[in-house]
Amino acid sequence: MTAQHKRTEETGTHVKILAAAASLFRSRGYEATTLRGIAAECGLKAGSIYYHFSSKDEILAEVLDFGIKELHRNVREAVGALPAGASRCDAIAAATRRHLECMLEFGDFTATNIRVFSQAPVEIQKRALVARREYEAYWKSLFTDARDAGEIRGDIDLSIARLFLFGGMSWTLEWYRDGGLDARELADLYTGILLRGIAN
């Protein structure tokens, strides 16, 4: 095996472990997920995990990190791809679509961020908060820009509006099943209710 093939195989195993861990963290929580269980989930011997990670906490930290950073990167790209002249509300809609698509695409990783963050050791929470706060700041800027452009009423509490939207999107992980509305259609419904309301 060449050095390049070895590195590729190691990277593939690393990612496989993270995916298996995310699935178990999502379904079992932090305490009930063990290194032995993660190894079994991805078809490895328990001792093989230590070649890639030193502890369960290190795995959880990477799972949390991947989940939020992938969301942030994808959402920024989606907003950045909007045509010139797109409104600030268009940016919120594009961000919502991509956020929801990624939540469903990386479901175990994003669900772990939602369900397991509060169960994680304090040091892991502190590490994860850096990326979380960066992503939160990005969304705050989207809503603030829309208000400053006169596209959102000035008397609206933007923090509540943002939390309202995120609460709806996060709950999607609990009830969404393939075969119904796709992520884009769901996102359009969420932003339609948020930006236009439901009253006549």
Side-chain angles (χ1 to χ4, degrees), residues 2-192:
T2 67
Q4 179 61 42
H5 285 159
K6 190 172 186 294
R7 284 194 297 271
T8 300
E9 182 177 302
E10 289 170 0
T11 300
T13 302
H14 190 94
V15 172
K16 190 176 180 180
I17 292 169
L18 289 177
S23 176
L24 292 179
F25 284 131
R26 177 183 187 176
S27 61
R28 299 181 184 177
Y30 173 76
E31 290 295 340
T33 297
T34 64
L35 287 176
R36 186 177 297 278
I38 294 169
E41 184 78 4
C42 53
L44 297 173
K45 293 180 179 179
S48 300
I49 294 283
Y50 290 104
Y51 183 77
H52 300 273
F53 299 96
S54 62
S55 66
K56 180 174 77 170
D57 286 354
E58 184 183 355
I59 296 174
L60 176 59
E62 282 208 32
V63 168
L64 294 174
D65 207 42
F66 177 86
I68 200 69
K69 286 185 175 179
E70 279 301 294
L71 280 174
H72 196 170
R73 181 180 66 80
N74 276 273
V75 166
R76 276 188 175 275
E77 287 179 358
V79 172
L82 288 171
S87 71
R88 293 299 85 207
C89 282
D90 287 339
I92 291 173
T96 301
R97 289 189 200 103
R98 194 64 191 124
H99 178 96
L100 196 54
E101 287 170 348
C102 287
M103 278 187 64
L104 299 176
E105 181 180 351
F106 307 116
D108 290 336
F109 289 89
T110 50
T112 297
N113 264 278
I114 295 167
R115 295 177 182 172
V116 183
F117 176 81
S118 63
Q119 304 169 22
V122 173
E123 288 306 312
I124 301 300
Q125 291 185 18
K126 287 179 179 177
R127 170 176 163 175
L129 276 173
V130 175
R132 278 176 165 238
R133 285 171 176 161
E134 288 177 356
Y135 190 45
E136 181 181 321
Y138 180 70
W139 275 89
K140 284 180 178 178
S141 70
L142 291 177
F143 276 79
T144 301
D145 288 349
R147 182 187 60 194
D148 292 348
E151 297 178 24
I152 292 178
R153 291 194 344 243
D155 62 331
I156 295 296
D157 186 316
L158 297 185
S159 292
I160 296 299
R162 180 172 47 80
L163 290 172
F164 174 80
L165 176 60
F166 267 68
M169 290 193 292
S170 295
W171 190 248
T172 303
L173 288 170
E174 301 295 333
W175 60 262
Y176 181 80
R177 297 292 181 274
D178 287 334
L181 296 171
D182 64 25
R184 178 172 290 270
E185 291 170 323
L186 281 173
D188 289 346
L189 288 173
Y190 282 138
T191 52

